[in-house]
Amino acid sequence: MKVSKVFPDPRPLTPDTLRRYARHLVLPEIGEEGQQKLLASSVLMIGAGGLGSSALGGMAAAGIGRIGIVEPDRVELSNLQRQMLFETSDIGRFKGEAARDRIEEINGDCHVELFLERLDAGNARALVRFFDIVVDGSDNFATRFALADACFHEKKPLVSAAISGFSAQLSTFKAYLGAPHPCYRCFIADMPEREIACAQEGIVGPLAGIMGNMQALEVIKELLGIGESLSGALLVMDTLTIHIKKIALPRDPACKTCHPAPVAGSPEN
């Protein structure tokens, strides 16, 4: 695959696209120019589960022109409580294939590329370098660390979310821009000793939809350069109390990813 530009020359909007995106076009932050940028942009979605299925639906409806999906798993009955892109007839299908079919039904302007493989440290950089921005919908730290490191080295914005029970968090990582932007390892430096799967802790279904769509919104903001980026901040939500707060997420001067120690005898990075 050829690496696409973030904002290639805009293509003209047809009468059908003008009608489809009418509610975007009247927004001064988006307008025709912004919609053309979305149609010319590419996003890589890691995971098509609780977060991913909602983020994918939101990005497809918004008119992201090219969407890659990295997802090796198949749809199971227990997924349907929170993975809103799927239906009962999809059980047993690859999630990526079912998601592609649904996206094509939502919006024919979106071109979908499937990667029916698990992202790891060996393939992460090769996958992310072909896209303008990356969305993390994974559910384990090994994938999150591999993805975050790849996005830092390939200079790709990473929109990351996590959900558990009735709680959620969201941030964007752009440490490749330098200080004060942190990377994911500034937030969580090392693999936790104990990792609890969602099958053990549980997730309230609508929360996956809320956070997946918030990821889609952050993608739109980053691609268009509008609003306030979540880079350097962490949005934390407790839906049992409807308590939402945004806290500072500083860059760690000792981080082994975005601020490695200089090699002896060489100038500091």
Side-chain angles (χ1 to χ4, degrees), residues 21 24 35 38-39 56-65 106-107 110 216 220:
Y21 305 114
H24 273 180
Q35 190 61 55
L38 294 179
L39 288 163
L56 286 166
M59 293 188 294
I64 302 298
I106 292 170
N107 192 349
C110 299
I220 292 170

Side-chain angles (χ1 to χ4, degrees), residues 3-11 29-43 62-66 130-133 156-157 174 176 218-226:
V3 177
S4 63
K5 298 178 181 178
V6 177
F7 297 146
D9 293 335
R11 64 196 195 197
E29 297 86 353
I30 300 181
E32 289 194 23
E33 181 181 357
Q35 190 61 55
Q36 288 171 323
K37 288 179 178 179
L38 294 179
L39 288 163
S41 297
S42 59
V43 180
I64 302 298
R66 178 168 162 259
F130 294 108
F131 294 86
D132 300 326
I133 188 168
K156 303 294 182 180
K174 301 189 291 185
Y176 58 86
E218 291 304 309
V219 165
I220 292 170
K221 288 167 54 183
E222 292 292 338
L223 289 172
L224 300 184
I226 60 176

Side-chain angles (χ1 to χ4, degrees), residues 178-195:
H181 299 276
C183 74
Y184 185 79
R185 287 187 185 270
C186 294
F187 172 42
I188 301 176
D190 297 300
M191 189 82 68
E193 292 184 4
R194 182 169 174 262
E195 187 169 1

Side-chain angles (χ1 to χ4, degrees), residues 21-101:
Y21 305 114
R23 301 304 185 271
H24 273 180
L25 302 182
V26 297
L27 291 171
E29 297 86 353
I30 300 181
E32 289 194 23
E33 181 181 357
Q35 190 61 55
Q36 288 171 323
K37 288 179 178 179
L38 294 179
L39 288 163
S41 297
S42 59
V43 180
L44 182 66
M45 182 77 233
I46 311 302
L51 292 168
S53 61
S54 293
L56 286 166
M59 293 188 294
I64 302 298
R66 178 168 162 259
I67 299 176
I69 305 173
V70 181
E71 176 59 84
D73 294 338
R74 295 178 183 268
V75 179
E76 299 178 1
L77 180 59
S78 62
N79 299 151
L80 303 184
Q81 165 258 3
R82 66 197 177 282
Q83 299 181 18
M84 301 172 191
L85 208 60
F86 309 126
E87 54 192 39
T88 303
S89 61
D90 291 320
I91 293 172
R93 298 186 65 196
F94 280 110
K95 289 183 181 180
E97 293 178 349
R100 176 197 59 202
D101 292 349

